Amino acid sequence: MTRVLLIARRELSGYLRTLSGYVIIAVVLAVTGLLFNVEAVNRVQLSGQLLERFFYLASGTVMVASVFISMRLLAEERQAGTLALLYSSPVRDAEIVAGKFLSALAFLALLLACTVFMPALVLLNGKVSYGHVGVGYLGLLLLGSACLAVGTLGSALSRTQVLAGIVSGCLVVVLLLCWLLARVTEAPLSDVFGALALHGHHFQAFMSGLVHTRDVVYYLAVTFAALFAATRVLEARRWR
Amino acid sequence: MIHVEGLTKYYGAHAAIRDLAFTITKGEVVGFLGLNGAGKTTTLKVLGCVLLPTSGRVRIEGFDVVENPHDIRRRIGFLPDTPPIYEEMTVGDYLSFVAQLRGVPRSQARARVEEAEERTALGEVDRVPIRALSHGFRQRVGVAQALVHRPALLVLDEPSSGLDPAQIVEMRSLLRGLRGEHTVLVSSHILSEISQTCDRLLVIQAGKLVAQGTEEELAQRLGGGGFVSLDVVGPAAPAVALLSAVPGVLQVTVQREEEGVTTLRVDAPAELRPVIARALVMGGVELLRLERGTEQLESIFLKLTHGREAA
C-alpha cells in the first residue's frame, strides 16, 4: 500500500507541476460554467431541476476530462522510458496501476471540488438539500472513476499519449453507445445493453439525488474490470 | 551472484538473444560488449527483471527472475539505456522517490539520497529540476537512482552513451568508485571504457555469447598476445636487437623513425613492460615512452564480431 500511495503522490504532483493539469481544470470550469450559466439564466425551472441539469452537464465534462487526465498515466511512462524504473523496482503491476489510477481519481476529485460553487449557488438561492448535492457528486465521482479506469486501460494499451487518448475515447464512446443500442434493440438484448450503458439510467438516479446499489455496483465493477485488464496488459508486456 | 543458463528471448519470430550462458561472481566488474543490436539491452532488461525470458534460467543470488522477481528487484540497481527520470522533479525529490520505491524507509531516504549524491557528485544540483540538467548530469542521476538503495548488483546499460570526452572520463571514474561495494555488469560499445573499468568481458554478437574472459585471455585465445608501444632516442637497430633478446617478446616492429626518435611496437604480454624497460635502459638506449598497446581491445572486438563495423 505504501508503494501505491508513493506512486500516486508522485503522479499527482506531476499533474500539479505541469501545465496540462491546470489547462484541464480551466477548460472544465469554463465549459461547465458557461453551460450552467445558460441553463440558470435562460430557462425558468425549479431549483431541483436546475441542479439535475448541472449534474447532467457536469457528467459530460467529467467523461471528456477523464479521458484527458488518464491518457498520460502509463503511455507517458512508456514514451519517456520511466516504465523501466517501475518495472525494475519491487512493485507489483497491480500496485503500479492502482497508484496511477488513485492519482487520477484524486485529481478528478480536486477538479470536481472546483465546481462546487455552482451547486452551492443553487443551494443558497433555491430549495435543494445537501443530500441531493452530495449524491450528485458521488455519481460524478463514480462515473469519473469508471472513465478513468477505462482510460488507464487505454493508456496501458498504447505507446503514445495521443494514441492512448484515442483508444480511451473510443472505449468510453462504446460504453456510452450501449444506451443507444438498448433503445433500438428488443428484450432481452435491450436489457443487457441498458445494464452496460455508462451513462443512461445508471447516472440518472444520481442526478435526481437517489442512490441505487445496482448503479454503485455497476460503476465499481467497470472500474475494477478496466483496472484488472490494465494490470494484465502491463504483465503481458514483460513477455514481449 | 548471477547464473545464466540457456537464456533466450524472442520478440515475435525474431530471437534477440539465443542460448546465453555465463556466470558472474560477487564483487566482479564485468563488461558486456557488443555492437548495436547484438542483444545487450535485452539481456540486461531480463537481468533487471524488466522483461521475462522466453526460455532459459536466470538466477541472481539464488533467486529466479521468473519465480522470485521481487526478491531480485530488491537486490539490484538498474540503469536502462535511457535514464528513467521524471523531468519535472528535482534531483533530491526524484532520488528520494526511487529510494522509497525500492524499500528504503522514509526516515532513512534522505540520508541515502545524500550518500548517492556524494558518490555521483550531484550534491550541488540537489534542488535543481532534472529538466534543467545537462546530458552528463542526467546520466549521473541515472547511476545515482541505480545505487540509492545500496543494491548488491548494479546493471548499467550504456552509462556513457552520448557523453562528451570529459564526461566519459568522469563516468569512468564514477564506475571505478563502485568497485568493491557492488557487483557491476556494465554494457557498452565504447571499448576503452570497458577496457579500463572492467575485470572481465562478455562479448555478444547477434544474440549469442561469442567469448568471455579477461582482456588478456581473449587476446591470447585469438592469437594476439598483446603488445607494448614505445619511443626510444636514436636509430631503431640497437633497440630492436635488445628487445628481440628479451624472453617472451614475439616480434618487434619499427613503426616510425622521425627527428631522432623511433617508435616501436613490441608484440609481448603487457606484464613484460618492466623487463622491456630494464633491457633498454641497461643496454644504453634512452627510453622516452612505454605503454600498453591501446588498440588491443578493438582488434579483439573486431575479430570476435567477424570484422563487422559498429556503424
Side-chain angles (χ1 to χ4, degrees):
Chain A
M1 193 60 192
T2 314
R3 291 189 174 100
V4 172
L5 294 178
L6 195 66
I7 292 170
R9 202 169 59 221
R10 196 218 68 76
E11 191 68 32
L12 185 60
S13 75
Y15 283 117
L16 300 176
R17 283 183 197 182
T18 54
L19 193 63
S20 61
Y22 295 100
V23 169
I24 292 172
I25 291 178
V27 170
V28 167
L29 283 181
V31 172
T32 315
L34 278 172
L35 294 173
F36 177 72
N37 191 51
V38 169
E39 285 287 332
V41 174
N42 296 346
R43 287 175 61 176
V44 179
Q45 55 192 324
L46 297 173
S47 52
Q49 290 173 318
L50 179 59
L51 195 59
E52 274 186 39
R53 289 296 296 167
F54 164 75
F55 286 124
Y56 177 75
L57 298 171
S59 67
T61 50
V62 159
M63 284 190 284
V64 175
S66 295
V67 170
F68 280 97
I69 292 169
S70 58
M71 67 184 197
R72 58 171 273 176
L73 290 175
L74 292 158
E76 189 189 38
E77 297 267 4
R78 189 170 297 117
Q79 243 177 320
T82 46
L83 201 55
L85 173 69
L86 300 175
Y87 270 163
S88 63
S89 299
V91 186
R92 297 182 195 290
D93 293 335
E95 290 177 314
I96 297 173
V97 170
K100 294 280 179 182
F101 169 75
L102 279 183
S103 70
L105 192 63
F107 184 75
L108 181 73
L110 178 70
L111 189 156
L112 289 175
C114 294
T115 66
V116 163
F117 73 93
M118 286 177 266
L121 285 172
V122 182
L123 198 66
L124 290 172
N125 298 299
K127 289 182 178 175
V128 293
S129 67
Y130 285 105
H132 189 171
V133 176
V135 168
Y137 271 103
L138 174 67
L140 287 177
L141 208 56
L142 285 169
L143 173 68
S145 165
C147 292
L148 287 173
V150 169
T152 308
L153 172 61
S155 195
L157 286 166
S158 312
R159 290 199 169 274
T160 65
Q161 288 192 64
V162 175
L163 194 60
I166 294 168
V167 171
S168 306
C170 289
L171 290 173
V172 168
V173 167
V174 166
L175 283 173
L176 273 175
L177 287 180
C178 285
W179 166 78
L180 197 65
L181 289 171
R183 293 184 66 176
V184 298
T185 51
E186 291 178 1
L189 215 51
S190 61
D191 296 336
V192 174
F193 283 126
L196 286 175
L198 190 62
H199 202 276
H201 67 263
H202 284 304
F203 191 72
Q204 276 169 1
F206 289 108
M207 281 163 49
S208 313
L210 299 171
V211 182
H212 290 152
T213 312
R214 64 155 199 266
D215 300 328
V216 175
V217 168
Y218 167 78
Y219 285 122
L220 292 180
V222 171
T223 303
F224 178 79
L227 293 181
F228 181 78
T231 305
R232 287 287 169 268
V233 170
L234 276 199
E235 285 171 359
R237 287 201 180 275
R238 289 181 191 267
W239 289 102
R240 288 186 195 171
Chain B
M1 184 81 194
I2 303 179
H3 295 281
V4 177
E5 297 167 26
L7 179 62
T8 300
K9 177 71 187 175
Y10 274 88
Y11 293 116
H14 168 68
I17 45 175
R18 264 177 292 182
D19 210 22
L20 288 192
F22 58 86
T23 300
I24 295 174
T25 53
K26 197 167 184 172
E28 270 193 305
V29 179
V30 176
F32 203 40
L33 193 60
L35 302 176
N36 290 334
K40 303 188 296 290
T41 294
T42 299
T43 309
L44 297 192
K45 278 185 174 173
V46 173
L47 295 179
C49 297
V50 172
L51 284 178
L52 288 163
T54 307
S55 63
R57 289 195 82 179
V58 178
R59 294 181 76 78
I60 297 175
E61 288 204 324
F63 297 104
D64 189 282
V65 288
V66 178
E67 289 162 15
N68 328 92
H70 280 290
D71 294 303
I72 293 176
R73 288 179 191 135
R74 285 192 195 95
R75 291 166 171 80
I76 60 160
F78 179 52
L79 170 65
D81 48 354
T82 308
I85 47 183
Y86 296 107
E87 303 226 331
E88 75 278 5
M89 296 179 92
T90 64
V91 173
D93 287 348
Y94 168 72
L95 292 177
S96 177
F97 166 71
V98 176
Q100 290 176 68
L101 197 65
R102 296 197 173 134
V104 176
R106 198 173 180 179
S107 56
Q108 295 173 25
R110 187 61 213 164
R112 295 289 182 86
V113 169
E114 285 172 5
E115 182 185 306
E117 285 179 346
E118 191 184 328
R119 295 183 74 182
T120 51
L122 286 169
E124 61 185 285
V125 294
D126 178 69
R127 302 309 308 160
V128 176
I130 296 175
R131 74 161 72 89
L133 296 179
S134 67
H135 183 70
F137 268 108
R138 284 169 185 236
Q139 286 292 114
R140 276 196 253 167
V141 173
V143 176
Q145 66 79 27
L147 55 83
V148 70
H149 56 302
R150 292 186 191 154
L153 170 67
L154 279 172
V155 178
L156 310 174
D157 192 2
E158 305 265 5
S160 300
S161 168
L163 298 183
D164 65 33
Q167 290 168 334
I168 287 175
V169 171
E170 283 176 19
M171 183 59 74
R172 201 180 292 151
S173 136
L174 199 165
L175 294 179
R176 280 205 205 104
L178 301 174
R179 189 187 294 272
E181 285 181 55
H182 309 269
T183 303
V184 184
L185 178 58
V186 54
S187 85
S188 181
H189 57 255
I190 301 174
L191 307 181
S192 55
E193 177 188 305
I194 290 280
S195 169
Q196 292 176 43
T197 51
C198 299
D199 305 324
R200 198 156 64 86
L201 303 173
L202 301 172
V203 186
I204 187 171
Q205 166 66 15
K208 288 183 174 174
L209 197 67
V210 289
Q212 55 180 313
T214 63
E215 192 181 334
E216 286 74 22
E217 284 170 355
L218 294 179
Q220 301 241 324
R221 198 180 308 163
L222 291 164
F227 73 95
V228 174
S229 176
L230 53 87
D231 290 343
V232 293
V233 176
V240 171
L242 286 168
L243 291 169
S244 300
V246 174
V249 170
L250 302 172
Q251 192 180 349
V252 182
T253 314
V254 180
Q255 292 189 310
R256 199 168 53 230
E257 278 189 272
E258 277 178 5
E259 298 171 1
V261 175
T262 301
T263 302
L264 297 164
R265 173 189 164 122
V266 183
D267 286 333
E271 300 80 56
L272 272 188
R273 281 173 294 177
V275 182
I276 290 170
R278 203 176 305 126
L280 288 170
V281 174
M282 298 290 281
V285 174
E286 288 181 72
L287 182 62
L288 294 177
R289 177 185 67 88
L290 183 146
E291 64 186 22
R292 185 183 193 170
T294 51
E295 92 277 12
Q296 185 181 16
L297 188 56
E298 284 179 15
S299 60
I300 296 169
F301 184 54
L302 288 174
K303 280 181 185 174
L304 287 170
T305 54
H306 311 293
R308 279 177 247 177
E309 289 293 341

